[in-house]
């Protein structure tokens, strides 16, 4: 496929391009939901998401007279490859020549495109079938047009690589020759669609190159920070250093004297729960970024810290530990864990701590807004363009249809850019400037100190073993502030979606299993972070599984398989409901057999049990998240002075079926690097309510010299009888426990608190 450049296409731009090219203009109607959705109709899957799915080829496909096929990608590209994967699916069913396919991004418009939230590892899971249906519908319309022109039955023709061929005579017509006439046909009904069989796939399941790979490589790719337009102004904001704080007074006289500064504006915060509304503060608007930043430095602001001014991470950790040592709200209760613990031949207990984390994408948040003629346009690196559109409209007092959100490439997201507070800030400032375009920039320090943080967590597990070392009782207490605190007041328990991320759905074959959730108040904005609550739950559970293996004197991998028990669908009988990532358990059961398989596969591929040099160790961990199964083996080498290196990592992943194996591989590799960062060094801590860290010198992510020397990803071959699972997030949760289990194997030192930091040097 030819290299493409991402522009800020609006729907108007796309339509203009279609008309100019005289291309395929299909009859506009929304087709019935696809078969994949029908399986999960009701409260599950894509059907449960705002605006569901759309499989209308009008929304996603246009064909010019020159035969160029333009496919609209309605999800945000942040490095995961969705601008390749979604068009890859459409192009395959369309029987298009990939070299003549172009990709454009959709604006925020969920009524036209279906749900656009790029989060939860859902893009392929929810839109693989609708994208197939859209491509197949367009292909059949082109075939029908050719058949009509030749006066033959549709069954006598076949689309092959951008042409329709009359099978008997060998006559051919190109897509560009057929597109305009095909537009006059009705879109085939869903039950009339002829989808390809897996054996017929040309692109699905193949390692296609990134649609934006060339532009990213040569620096032409357009990110949120790259938006520019004539007359644009630049702004930065001084925000309250403490969550819930506000401006008591401000002296802006010195700021206004900074050359280039044009205006200083107060932004009102919103009392908690504020959802995605800005924190408030004081904005400086200038002719360039440097002037805006120097103007902000010159502001003299007195802050009122509010109720969280005494928040201290170390004190809060101790408070959470005390909570975890007491009975709490029961969220799963199989058998009688308390009685079984009392009778156990041997008891094992441990507590694990995972601090706040910042998503810290390489590109901090940025948004540009212009308001004119009663319309507002936003250019931003957002994961949720429809939410951005709605929230901007609400804050400006405009109709949603008068707000357009153009989505740029995202220089990373990891959940931070699902929250459009920065776009709202830009909109408010454009309004203050009479609608002039204003680009609102977050510096690295802004992003580290004023984010929506991954929750802080204490996980305590107690287990009882029988005289053969078999686990007969398990009690897991989880304590962590909840994401729901940004949506509802006085929420101190984790929500069902957080509990369902590896805690209550732990699939161990233990007859007496109890999970509890202690209270924890949120003292900072808590938000989604890649893999969310799977990180603390998997770290604790998979670390503790290894601790039980050591206590029982058994091999770590063998003991993990013993805990999992025989292949089966986990019953989870004591749960009234299981969130299950929003999916039906009939379509996506908790399949212990698949989890066992990735454990066995990664053990085989990594050479589990092989002889290792002194100071080396192997650790294993496995976890189901986002309805995908991943197991990881890490080999560590720990020198006598505590220096840690990672010679090798092996990952086995079963995501049902695979659209682009290169993207699956890349996501697993990236998850290893991110998992390494949070395990080694990443930590957000608070003193007097203020974030201690500010940039990559003290909020550290893994450097290249710390990266594993070798990462091997083993993808379970596609099973087209299974529904697709997520890929963007499932690789992350098993990494940290596999690493710390490997450290134990190498040194005998157990790591129960992240980040590892200097613990190996102690």
């Amino acid at each position: 496929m030819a290299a493409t450049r991402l522009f800020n296409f609006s729907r108007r731009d796309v339509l203009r391009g279609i008309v100019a090219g005289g291309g395929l203009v299909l009859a506009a109607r929304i087709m019935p939901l696809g078969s994949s959705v029908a399986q999960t109709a009701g409260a599950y899957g894509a059907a449960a998401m705002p605006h569901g799915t759309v499989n209308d080829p009008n929304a996603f496909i246009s064909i010019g007279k020159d035969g160029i096929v333009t496919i609209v990608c309605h999800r945000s590209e942040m490095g995961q490859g969705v601008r390749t994967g979604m068009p890859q699916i459409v192009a395959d069913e369309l029987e298009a020549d990939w070299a003549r396919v172009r990709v454009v991004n959709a604006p925020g418009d969920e009524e036209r495109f279906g749900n656009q939230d790029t989060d939860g590892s859902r893009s392929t899971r929810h839109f693989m079938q609708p994208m197939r249906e859209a491509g197949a519908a367009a292909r059949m319309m082109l075939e029908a047009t050719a058949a009509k022109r030749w006066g033959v039955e549709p069954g006598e023709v076949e689309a092959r690589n951008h042409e329709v061929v009359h099978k008997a005579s060998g006559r051919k017509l190109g897509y560009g020759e057929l597109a305009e006439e095909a537009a006059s046909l009705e879109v085939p009904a869903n039950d009339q669609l002829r989808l390809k069989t897996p054996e017929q796939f040309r692109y699905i399941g193949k390692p296609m190159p990134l649609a934006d790979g060339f532009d990213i490589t040569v620096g032409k790719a357009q990110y949120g920070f790259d938006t520019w337009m004539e007359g644009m102004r630049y702004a930065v904001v001084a925000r309250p250093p403490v969550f819930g704080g506000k401006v008591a007074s401000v002296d802006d006289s010195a700021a206004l004297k900074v050359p280039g500064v044009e205006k200083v504006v107060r932004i009102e915060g919103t009392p908690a729960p504020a959802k995605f509304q800005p924190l408030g503060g004081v904005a400086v608007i200038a002719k360039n970024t440097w002037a805006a930043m120097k103007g902000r430095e010159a502001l003299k602001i007195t802050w009122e810290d509010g109720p969280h001014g005494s928040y201290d991470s170390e004190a809060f950790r101790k408070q959470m530990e005390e909570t975890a040592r007491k009975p709490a709200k029961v969220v799963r209760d199989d058998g009688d864990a308390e009685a079984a613990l009392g009778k156990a031949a041997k008891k094992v207990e441990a507590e694990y701590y995972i601090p706040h984390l910042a998503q810290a994408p390489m590109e901090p948040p940025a948004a540009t807004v212009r308001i004119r003629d009663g319309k507002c346009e936003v250019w931003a690196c957002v994961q949720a363009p429809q939410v951005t559109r709605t929230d901007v409209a609400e804050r400006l007092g405009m109709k949603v249809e008068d707000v357009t959100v153009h989505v740029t490439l995202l220089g990373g997201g990891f959940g931070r850019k699902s929250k459009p507070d920065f776009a709202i800030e830009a909109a408010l400032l454009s309004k203050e400037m009479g609608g002039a375009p204003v680009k609102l920039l977050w510096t690295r320090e802004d992003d580290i100190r004023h984010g929506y943080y991954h929750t802080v967590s204490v996980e305590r597990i107690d287990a009882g073993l029988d005289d053969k070392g078999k686990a007969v009782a398990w009690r897991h207490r989880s304590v962590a502030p909840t994401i729901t605190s940004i949506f509802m007041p006085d929420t101190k328990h984790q929500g069902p979606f957080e509990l369902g991320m590896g805690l209550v759905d732990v699939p161990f074959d233990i007859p007496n299993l109890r999970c509890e959730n202690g209270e924890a108040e949120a003292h900072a904005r808590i938000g989604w972070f890649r893999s969310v609550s799977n990180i603390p739950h998997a770290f604790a559970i998979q670390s503790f599984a290894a601790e039980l293996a050591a206590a029982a004197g058994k091999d770590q991998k063998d003991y993990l398989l013993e805990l999992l028990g025989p292949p089966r669908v986990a019953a989870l009988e004591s749960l009234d409901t299981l969130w299950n990532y929003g999916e039906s358990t009939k379509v996506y059961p908790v399949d212990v057999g698949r989890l066992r398989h990735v454990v066995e596969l990664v053990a085989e591929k990594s050479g589990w049990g092989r002889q290792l040099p002194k100071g080396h160790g192997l650790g294993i961990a496995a976890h189901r998240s986002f309805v995908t199964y991943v197991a990881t083996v890490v080999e560590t080498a720990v020198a006598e002075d505590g220096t840690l290196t990672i010679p090798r990592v092996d990952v086995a992943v079963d995501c049902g079926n695979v659209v682009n194996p290169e993207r699956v591989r890349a996501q697993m590799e990236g998850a290893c690097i991110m998992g390494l960062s949070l395990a080694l060094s990443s930590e957000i801590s608070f003193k007097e309510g203020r974030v201690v860290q500010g940039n990559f010198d003290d909020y550290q992510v893994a450097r290249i010299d710390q990266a594993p020397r070798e990462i091997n990803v083993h993808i379970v071959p596609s099973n087209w009888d299974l529904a697709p699972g997520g890929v963007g997030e499932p690789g992350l949760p098993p990494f940290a426990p596999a690493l710390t289990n490997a450290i134990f194997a190498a040194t005998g030192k157990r790591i129960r608190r992240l980040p590892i930091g200097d613990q190996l040097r102690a």
Side-chain angles (χ1 to χ4, degrees):
M1 183 178 140
T4 60
R5 183 178 182 184
L6 174 66
F7 293 94
N8 296 316
F9 277 88
S10 66
R11 179 168 53 176
R12 185 167 57 248
D13 293 327
V14 174
L15 293 173
R16 188 183 301 125
I18 293 170
V19 171
L24 181 63
V25 184
L26 302 173
R29 71 183 179 90
I30 305 298
M31 299 172 65
L33 294 176
S35 56
S36 64
V37 178
Q39 292 177 34
T40 57
Y44 300 113
M49 298 296 293
H51 298 102
T53 61
V54 168
N55 62 358
D56 179 5
N58 287 294
F60 298 103
I61 305 168
S62 66
I63 304 175
K65 285 184 177 178
D66 58 0
I68 295 297
V69 171
T70 301
I71 298 175
V72 176
C73 178
H74 70 301
R75 293 293 177 122
S76 300
E77 176 62 69
M78 47 189 165
Q80 81 279 37
V82 72
R83 274 176 47 89
T84 305
M86 289 289 120
Q88 190 174 338
I89 298 167
V90 175
D92 200 324
E93 287 288 355
L94 181 58
E95 192 58 28
D97 177 2
W98 189 246
R100 285 181 275 179
V101 171
R102 303 291 181 266
V103 182
V104 297
N105 250 60
D109 189 348
E110 291 192 350
E111 289 190 2
R112 181 171 177 80
F113 300 107
N115 185 268
Q116 292 182 262
D117 293 345
T118 311
D119 55 20
S121 298
R122 285 185 286 236
S123 292
T124 301
R125 201 165 92 219
H126 286 179
F127 275 89
M128 183 171 183
Q129 185 74 6
M131 292 299 96
R132 290 188 63 190
E133 291 164 354
R139 165 174 42 86
M140 291 173 63
M141 294 168 74
L142 292 163
E143 289 174 335
T145 300
K148 180 183 176 184
R149 203 176 282 184
W150 289 324
V152 301
E153 292 297 318
E156 297 180 39
V157 307
E158 182 178 59
R160 297 176 189 165
N161 195 33
H162 235 81
E163 295 176 324
V164 178
V165 180
H166 181 227
K167 290 182 279 189
S169 66
R171 285 177 290 177
K172 299 177 181 177
L173 285 170
Y175 281 6
E177 301 173 83
L178 298 167
E180 190 168 6
E181 188 176 345
S184 65
L185 302 182
E186 280 289 314
V187 178
N190 231 38
D191 60 2
Q192 300 299 310
L193 290 177
R194 287 183 287 105
L195 298 178
K196 287 184 173 181
T197 64
E199 295 74 24
Q200 294 174 312
F201 289 155
R202 299 177 60 198
Y203 308 129
I204 296 173
K206 307 296 191 302
M208 307 292 286
L210 275 178
D212 302 300
F214 178 80
D215 284 357
I216 291 172
T217 303
V218 301
K220 289 184 178 178
Q222 300 290 300
Y223 295 89
F225 259 72
D226 296 323
T227 304
W228 182 88
M229 60 188 69
E230 192 70 36
M232 189 166 72
R233 296 294 184 263
Y234 303 80
V236 295
V237 177
R239 300 175 183 84
V242 177
F243 171 57
K246 61 182 181 181
V247 177
S249 64
V250 58
D251 177 355
D252 61 8
S253 55
L256 289 169
K257 292 177 183 176
V258 174
V261 170
E262 295 192 343
K263 195 168 185 178
V264 174
V265 177
R266 290 271 292 265
I267 297 177
E268 294 299 324
T270 302
K275 193 187 164 193
F276 306 137
Q277 290 297 316
L279 288 166
V282 183
V284 178
I285 305 171
K287 292 180 178 177
N288 57 69
T289 307
W290 181 250
M293 294 172 68
K294 299 305 289 184
R296 182 171 66 173
E297 290 176 11
L299 291 172
K300 296 177 181 176
I301 305 174
T302 301
W303 301 100
E304 287 183 9
D305 286 347
H308 305 295
S310 62
Y311 183 35
D312 180 279
S313 291
E314 194 58 26
F316 193 63
R317 180 181 66 81
K318 294 176 181 175
Q319 181 183 333
M320 289 195 298
E321 288 173 348
E322 291 175 4
T323 301
R325 292 165 190 163
K326 302 173 184 174
K329 179 182 178 182
V330 178
V331 291
R332 178 179 172 184
D333 199 13
D334 295 353
D336 190 339
E338 299 299 334
L341 280 169
K343 299 175 185 174
K346 187 173 188 177
K347 296 179 186 176
V348 183
E349 63 181 40
E351 290 179 356
Y352 303 91
Y353 175 77
I354 301 92
H356 283 297
L357 299 166
Q359 297 88 354
M362 287 298 117
E363 179 201 31
T368 301
V369 174
R370 178 179 63 196
I371 305 170
R372 62 181 181 185
D373 302 328
K375 309 288 185 183
C376 172
E377 288 187 277
V378 181
W379 291 260
C381 46
V382 290
Q383 292 176 240
Q386 181 68 32
V387 173
T388 304
R389 191 183 186 200
T390 304
D391 285 7
V392 166
E394 181 181 345
R395 189 67 184 255
L396 293 181
M398 299 177 71
K399 297 178 181 176
V400 172
E401 54 266 34
D402 289 334
V403 176
T404 301
V405 176
H406 310 283
V407 183
T408 67
L409 286 179
L410 284 63
F414 311 120
R416 171 61 184 94
K417 294 171 183 174
S418 291
K419 301 95 173 176
D421 54 329
F422 54 100
I424 299 170
E425 289 177 334
L428 292 171
L429 298 179
S430 176
K431 183 179 180 182
E432 287 287 340
M433 296 298 286
V438 173
K439 177 152 72 175
L440 185 284
L441 301 161
W442 282 52
T443 64
R444 178 67 58 203
E445 287 80 4
D446 292 337
D447 188 36
I448 296 293
R449 292 177 176 152
H450 302 289
Y452 288 82
Y453 302 105
H454 178 59
T455 191
V456 57
S457 176
V458 166
E459 309 288 326
R460 178 188 173 90
I461 308 178
D462 297 75
L465 309 182
D466 66 15
D467 57 1
K468 295 182 177 60
K470 183 177 177 60
V472 294
W474 176 282
R475 185 183 66 207
H476 184 165
R477 289 177 178 151
S478 178
V479 182
T482 173
I483 290 172
T484 60
S485 60
I486 65 173
F487 299 101
M488 297 182 290
D490 303 322
T491 49
K492 297 180 180 178
H493 287 288
Q494 295 174 53
F497 69 97
E498 293 160 316
L499 298 172
M501 291 185 178
L503 177 66
V504 298
D505 55 331
V506 61
F508 288 165
D509 186 25
I510 301 175
N512 305 290
L513 195 153
R514 183 181 177 97
C515 300
E516 300 177 10
N517 177 211
E519 287 190 355
E521 182 180 359
H523 297 287
R525 293 198 295 186
I526 307 298
W528 298 278
F529 180 102
R530 186 183 187 183
S531 299
V532 203
S533 296
N534 287 291
I535 294 172
H537 297 156
F539 176 62
I541 292 169
Q542 293 298 310
S543 295
F544 195 66
E547 296 209 40
L548 293 185
K554 298 183 180 180
D555 174 80
Q556 188 191 141
K557 182 262 294 181
D558 293 343
Y559 199 83
L560 178 56
L561 291 172
E562 182 179 312
L563 285 172
L564 289 171
R568 68 196 186 284
V569 171
L572 306 176
E573 292 171 344
S574 67
L575 296 179
D576 292 333
T577 59
L578 173 65
W579 175 64
N580 201 35
Y581 303 89
E583 306 289 354
S584 165
T585 53
K586 294 180 180 177
V587 180
Y588 292 98
V590 181
D591 189 331
V592 178
R594 292 175 70 182
L595 191 54
R596 285 184 60 95
H597 178 59
V598 292
V599 170
E600 292 163 340
L601 177 63
V602 79
E604 174 197 341
K605 296 294 185 182
S606 66
W608 183 263
R610 58 190 156 91
Q611 289 293 316
L612 295 170
K614 182 183 178 184
H616 287 230
L618 291 178
I620 192 169
H623 191 70
R624 173 189 185 264
S625 66
F626 305 93
V627 295
T628 281
Y629 303 80
V630 177
T632 301
V633 168
V634 175
E635 179 185 346
T636 61
V638 183
E640 290 187 0
D641 65 355
T643 301
L644 174 70
T645 55
I646 303 175
R648 176 173 170 174
V649 176
D650 287 82
V651 179
V653 52
D654 178 358
C655 54
N657 45 66
V658 176
V659 172
N660 188 333
E662 273 306 303
R663 302 322 307 158
V664 175
R665 193 178 313 281
Q667 287 299 301
M668 294 302 121
E669 292 171 346
C672 289
I673 301 302
M674 195 167 189
L676 180 63
S677 294
L678 67 89
L680 286 183
S681 55
S682 297
E683 178 174 19
I684 291 292
S685 58
F686 289 80
K687 276 281 186 186
E688 296 180 341
R690 290 154 172 80
V691 174
V692 173
Q693 295 75 21
N695 208 316
F696 285 142
D697 59 331
D698 49 11
Y699 185 79
Q700 296 198 19
V701 297
R703 266 58 170 180
I704 193 168
D705 62 341
Q706 297 172 304
R709 302 293 185 266
E710 180 183 341
I711 301 176
N712 306 298
V713 179
H714 314 285
I715 303 171
V716 174
S718 291
N719 179 346
W720 297 102
D721 292 330
L722 297 174
V727 170
E729 295 165 271
L732 183 54
F735 187 88
L739 172 64
T740 53
N741 289 340
I743 290 171
F744 178 79
T747 66
K749 187 175 183 63
R750 183 64 67 185
I751 302 292
R752 298 192 180 104
R753 177 175 178 167
L754 296 181
I756 296 169
D758 293 330
Q759 294 180 64
L760 294 177
R761 300 183 188 278

